[in-house]
Amino acid sequence: MNEGERRSAYWKANIKLLSILLSIWFAVSYGFGILLKDTLDAVTFLGYPLGFWFAQQGSIFVFLVLIFIYAMRMNQLDKQFDFDEE
């Protein structure tokens, strides 16, 4: 694989990862916090309706987890495509 093909494959993998993670974040923040709020409010979590919890805190926690997943996966991609700094 030459340099151009390697760079292209690296960015394709990066964009795919970003698309998946942003879709998850969108589903959690918009879907659970807004669209499904009334349905989720039938369940309580830590004493609060689940829809309210997702709108106020859950989407933030999911976003933080997604940041760590992105960082770990990008380190793996860097090593896989030989772009790591080591």
Side-chain angles (χ1 to χ4, degrees):
M1 182 181 294
N2 67 30
E3 181 71 19
E5 291 173 341
R6 188 168 56 103
R7 287 181 186 269
S8 179
Y10 175 78
W11 281 109
K12 186 176 181 179
N14 184 10
I15 296 299
K16 181 180 176 183
L17 176 63
L18 277 173
S19 299
I20 291 168
L21 295 178
L22 287 175
S23 296
I24 292 169
W25 186 40
F26 176 79
V28 169
S29 63
Y30 186 74
F32 292 175
I34 297 172
L35 296 178
L36 299 174
K37 179 194 170 297
D38 294 333
T39 305
L40 293 173
D41 280 346
V43 178
T44 59
F45 180 73
L46 299 174
Y48 296 99
L50 189 59
F52 173 79
W53 185 83
F54 267 113
Q56 298 301 313
Q57 295 179 17
S59 61
I60 295 169
F61 290 142
V62 169
F63 183 64
L64 291 173
V65 169
L66 292 177
I67 289 172
F68 287 108
I69 291 171
Y70 177 75
M72 290 186 316
R73 185 66 183 119
M74 283 307 298
N75 284 335
Q76 292 172 352
L77 284 176
D78 288 347
K79 289 177 184 172
Q80 177 183 345
F81 289 99
D82 198 30
F83 286 117
D84 57 331
E85 296 178 2
E86 295 176 2

